[in-house]
């Protein structure tokens, strides 16, 4: 089966600019997650969707981050305006149960 | 206190060595437990699930002690290809909580 697709792979922006990341989960996976992984740390959950509804966004910095999953398939994560500390890898994952996660390759964001 | 804490690394070991990683978690209601492996500049990938009875997959053995909220991973006869970051992961209500990872470097 095809994996989780993410784009772009890399992005460099200046602080205060905006950026968007895209994720296409595995077909049929109802649950989609966005994680932020800062260099030297483990991934941190930003937001969890079940179909097109938000299950958990408690760690999403809502003043600058937003995410949507229209139609319960693809998802976008946006940052506006970006800060230097947002430099990280943004990982999308999908699952069809509590036990089966698949991660995408991630988008590496550098804010300068 | 972090939800999932791992041994700080890095671990530098020679080929053939046995290496053990330790992990503790804070939420006793955690439901399931895993070890993930992450290669440099790659996404995390599931290495193995961890069960209370202990489980083994080739050179890898994982143990869970729910009473102590402690998880371990043992790698025997380590290979150069085992060099990676090992992430301890806990499932809480369907979301995965990751430790900070422990880097392993296996040298010839």
């Amino acid at each position: 089966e095809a994996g989780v697709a993410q784009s772009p792979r890399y992005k460099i922006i200046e602080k205060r600019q905006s950026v968007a990341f895209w994720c296409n989960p595995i077909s049929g996976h109802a649950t989609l997650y966005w994680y932020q992984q800062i260099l030297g740390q483990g991934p941190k959950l930003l937001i969890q969707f079940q179909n097109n509804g938000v299950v958990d966004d408690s760690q999403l910095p809502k003043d600058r981050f937003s995410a949507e999953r229209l139609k319960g398939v693809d998802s976008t994560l946006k940052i506006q305006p970006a800060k230097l500390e947002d430099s990280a890898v943004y990982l999308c994952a999908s699952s069809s149960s509590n036990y089966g996660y698949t991660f995408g390759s991630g988008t590496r964001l550098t804010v300068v | 206190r972090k939800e999932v804490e791992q041994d700080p690394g890095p671990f530098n070991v020679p080929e053939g060595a046995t290496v053990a990683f330790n992990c503790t978690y804070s939420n006793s209601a955690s439901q399931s437990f895993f070890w993930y492996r992450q290669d440099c500049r790659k996404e995390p990938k599931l290495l193995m699930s961890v069960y209370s009875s202990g489980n083994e997959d080739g050179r890898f053995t994982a143990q869970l002690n729910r009473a102590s909220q402690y998880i371990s991973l043992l790698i025997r006869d380590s290979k150069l290809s085992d060099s990676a970051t090992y992430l301890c992961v806990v499932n809480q209500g369907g979301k995965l909580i990751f430790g900070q990872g422990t880097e392993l470097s296996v040298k010839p």
Side-chain angles (χ1 to χ4, degrees), chain B residues 14-58:
Chain B
E15 269 187 295
T18 295
V19 60
F21 299 125
N22 301 307
C23 170
T24 58
Y25 61 95
S26 61
N27 189 336
S28 59
S30 299
Q31 298 155 298
S32 51
F33 309 88
F34 310 92
W35 284 100
Y36 273 68
R37 170 188 169 133
Q38 187 171 27
D39 292 292
C40 188
R41 294 184 170 265
K42 299 286 188 181
E43 71 274 21
K45 292 188 177 176
L46 178 65
L47 178 65
M48 58 196 303
S49 301
V50 190
Y51 304 112
S52 297
S53 54
N55 50 299
E56 191 173 304
D57 182 2

Side-chain angles (χ1 to χ4, degrees), chain A residues 5 8 13 19 33-35 40-42 61 70 75 78 86 88 92 94 99:
Chain A
I13 62 171
V19 65
Y33 312 80
W34 283 101
Y35 283 82
Q41 299 181 19
L70 300 176
S75 177
K78 296 179 182 178
D86 298 332
C92 179
S94 69
Y99 301 95

Side-chain angles (χ1 to χ4, degrees), chain A residues 5-64:
Chain A
Q6 289 189 246
S7 67
R9 284 299 309 274
Y10 305 93
K11 191 74 178 178
I12 301 175
I13 62 171
E14 294 182 351
K15 59 184 178 184
R16 292 187 289 275
Q17 285 187 323
S18 62
V19 65
F21 313 127
W22 174 81
C23 173
N24 188 338
I26 291 175
S27 177
H29 280 196
T31 312
L32 184 147
Y33 312 80
W34 283 101
Y35 283 82
Q36 178 194 56
Q37 187 172 22
I38 292 172
L39 186 65
Q41 299 181 19
K44 182 184 84 171
L45 180 67
L46 292 176
I47 188 166
Q48 176 184 351
F49 292 95
Q50 182 74 20
N51 296 309
N52 60 346
V54 175
V55 174
D56 185 344
D57 63 357
S58 57
Q59 297 206 78
L60 187 74
K62 298 180 187 64
D63 57 333
R64 298 184 301 106

Side-chain angles (χ1 to χ4, degrees), chain B:
Chain B
R1 181 184 173 188
K2 292 181 182 175
E3 291 186 87
V4 180
E5 291 204 61
Q6 296 185 236
D7 288 336
F11 284 21
N12 297 300
V13 303
E15 269 187 295
T18 295
V19 60
F21 299 125
N22 301 307
C23 170
T24 58
Y25 61 95
S26 61
N27 189 336
S28 59
S30 299
Q31 298 155 298
S32 51
F33 309 88
F34 310 92
W35 284 100
Y36 273 68
R37 170 188 169 133
Q38 187 171 27
D39 292 292
C40 188
R41 294 184 170 265
K42 299 286 188 181
E43 71 274 21
K45 292 188 177 176
L46 178 65
L47 178 65
M48 58 196 303
S49 301
V50 190
Y51 304 112
S52 297
S53 54
N55 50 299
E56 191 173 304
D57 182 2
R59 298 180 293 108
F60 298 82
T61 302
Q63 295 275 358
L64 166 66
N65 184 321
R66 282 189 181 268
S68 304
Q69 295 180 202
Y70 169 82
I71 305 163
S72 66
L73 175 68
L74 187 75
I75 305 176
R76 291 181 301 278
D77 187 25
S78 52
K79 312 290 185 192
L80 297 177
S81 57
D82 294 334
S83 296
T85 295
Y86 290 82
L87 295 156
C88 177
V89 186
V90 168
N91 182 329
Q92 291 178 9
K95 64 181 183 182
L96 296 187
I97 309 297
F98 286 79
Q100 75 272 28
T102 303
E103 184 181 347
L104 172 66
S105 180
V106 182
K107 306 293 187 184

